[in-house]
Amino acid sequence: MLDVLKGWFHAWFSDEEAVYLLFLLLAGLVVVVLFGGMLAPVLTALVLAYLMQGLVAQLNRLGLSSGWSVNLVFLLFLAALVAVLVVVMPLVWRQTVLLVRDQLPNILHSSENWLRGLPERYPEMVSMEQVNTLVNITQRELAQFGQSVLTLSLSSIPSLLEILVFLVLVPVLVFFFLKDRAALTDWALSFLPARRRILSHVWEEMDQQIANYVRGKAVEILLVGGATFLAFLVLGLNYTVLLAVLVGLSVLIPYIGATIVTLPVAAVAYLQFGWSGDFALVMVVYGVIQFIDGNILVPLLFSEAVNLHPVVIITAILFFGGVWGLWGVFFAIPLATLLKAVINAWPRRQGRPEQIPGS
């Protein structure tokens, strides 16, 4: 048994670069797990600056100086941030409050009537006692949810202060990450060994695939959300901004997000139009948007961005979402890409390991 363990260790860690790579991965994991909360503004700004660096480089190639490129990209970032905070978020919040205040009672009443009719239709499967228990639990949970949406308690003030500090720190850090990118990169590389062939291979694959993926996702969110907003606005559907934001953000979770967000779209359309031709038209238009996104837009944007098997993608979403919640869901595919790059580049004494599916 000991010889087997020694052979396995020698096969996978005989190259010193493998040890460096393992140390960096463990150090990054420790920093995120132990200090992720307090370093959230820094990590967020680092990700945003990394994503905007592609636009800075593109402006440089067009002949604009580095300083002007950074300033222009940063001003575009500030304009987008202000637009989201001043225009989009207030509309989303207002429509969320209206939906909870005006439609939640109707949803409760319709659902209760439907549930109470089940014992008559299926007496052998459903009893009135079970229905009453389920109705009471649902009413209690929805009432708590509605109260939390409609009111802001004093306990939420510290969270609001944290958000304000976050909104101040992130733009400042983004600017300095963009402005001093070369100096910060050289400083970070000074801690790495001179021989870093494997590290460079992993970084090159990560840099190409993740940057393309995240930028492609940003474009997909804008296109899908914008198309949904225009379509629902033309159809006269209520809560258009809220539903468009939900549909746009749903593309962050492949295969699962579209299924989940269908429920609020169908619920709002049903409460407004009932079982009518307008309801059917809304769902058909929504289905067309999802079809175009899945069969035309996604292949066009991500044909060379991330080459992962659907099973790997769903597993990564479930795992990282369970570990880190919403942030884990958002970064599930980039993290899966990182693991794929590490596995494919990991040095072995017997030769390079087989690539995982989708590589």
Side-chain angles (χ1 to χ4, degrees):
M1 182 66 178
L2 188 60
D3 292 337
V4 173
L5 292 176
K6 286 182 178 179
W8 176 86
F9 184 84
H10 185 64
W12 288 95
F13 297 98
S14 58
D15 194 317
E16 64 176 8
E17 289 195 60
V19 179
Y20 294 141
L21 182 57
L22 179 63
F23 175 78
L24 286 176
L25 292 175
L26 292 178
L29 180 62
V30 169
V31 168
V32 171
V33 172
L34 297 182
F35 309 107
M38 64 181 71
L39 295 178
V42 178
L43 297 176
T44 302
L46 186 63
V47 172
L48 291 174
Y50 168 74
L51 297 178
M52 289 186 283
Q53 184 57 41
L55 183 56
V56 173
Q58 183 64 34
L59 292 176
N60 289 336
R61 286 191 290 268
L62 294 176
L64 208 60
S65 66
S66 179
W68 278 104
S69 299
V70 169
N71 291 331
L72 181 57
V73 171
F74 182 69
L75 288 176
L76 291 174
F77 165 70
L78 285 182
L81 181 62
V82 170
V84 170
L85 294 177
V86 176
V87 179
V88 178
M89 291 304 296
L91 284 174
V92 170
W93 178 254
R94 192 178 305 116
Q95 292 195 357
T96 301
V97 171
L98 291 175
L99 178 63
V100 172
R101 186 186 64 193
D102 298 340
Q103 300 296 340
L104 190 58
N106 295 331
I107 295 174
L108 286 173
H109 182 70
S110 300
S111 301
E112 183 177 351
N113 290 337
W114 180 75
L115 287 172
R116 293 193 185 281
L118 291 179
E120 298 180 2
R121 282 176 276 179
Y122 310 101
E124 297 179 356
M125 301 177 60
V126 183
S127 66
M128 185 59 69
E129 183 180 354
Q130 292 174 327
V131 171
N132 290 333
T133 302
L134 181 59
V135 168
N136 292 333
I137 294 175
T138 303
Q139 288 178 343
R140 184 169 60 250
E141 293 296 329
L142 289 177
Q144 292 177 356
F145 171 74
Q147 185 178 5
S148 64
V149 171
L150 295 174
T151 62
L152 286 174
S153 62
L154 293 177
S155 62
S156 65
I157 293 178
S159 299
L160 292 176
L161 293 177
E162 292 177 4
I163 293 174
L164 291 176
V165 172
F166 190 89
L167 292 176
V168 172
L169 287 179
V170 168
V172 174
L173 290 170
V174 166
F175 176 76
F176 284 111
F177 280 139
L178 288 173
K179 176 178 174 292
D180 301 324
R181 173 181 173 272
L184 293 172
T185 302
D186 292 339
W187 175 79
L189 291 177
S190 66
F191 293 94
L192 298 178
R195 180 175 176 266
R196 45 178 181 264
R197 178 180 54 85
I198 302 301
L199 297 177
S200 299
H201 182 276
V202 172
W203 172 251
E204 288 173 2
E205 184 172 349
M206 286 285 296
D207 184 42
Q208 178 183 2
Q209 294 199 20
I210 289 185
N212 292 337
Y213 170 78
V214 179
R215 290 166 190 153
K217 275 299 175 184
V219 174
E220 185 185 7
I221 290 173
L222 292 175
L223 292 178
V224 172
T228 302
F229 172 76
L230 293 176
F232 287 174
L233 187 65
V234 171
L235 294 173
L237 188 65
N238 295 331
Y239 314 108
T240 302
V241 176
L242 175 60
L243 294 177
V245 170
L246 291 177
V247 174
L249 294 178
S250 70
V251 304
L252 293 173
I253 313 176
Y255 312 111
I256 302 174
T259 303
I260 295 176
V261 82
T262 300
L263 298 177
V265 172
V268 170
Y270 173 74
L271 290 172
Q272 181 176 350
F273 300 120
W275 295 109
S276 64
D278 290 334
F279 170 80
L281 182 60
V282 169
M283 298 311 298
V284 168
V285 170
Y286 171 73
V288 170
I289 292 174
Q290 292 294 340
F291 177 83
I292 293 175
D293 175 47
N295 295 276
I296 298 177
L297 192 59
V298 169
L300 188 64
L301 291 174
F302 306 107
S303 59
E304 298 180 357
V306 175
N307 190 13
L308 292 174
H309 194 277
V311 173
V312 177
I313 293 176
I314 294 175
T315 303
I317 291 171
L318 294 176
F319 176 78
F320 292 113
V323 174
W324 288 313
L326 181 62
W327 286 111
V329 171
F330 182 79
F331 288 106
I333 295 180
L335 289 171
T337 303
L338 170 61
L339 291 178
K340 186 196 79 169
V342 169
I343 292 173
N344 292 341
W346 196 277
R348 292 184 63 187
R349 184 184 60 178
Q350 291 89 345
R352 182 177 174 140
E354 295 183 1
Q355 295 185 343
I356 63 174
S359 302

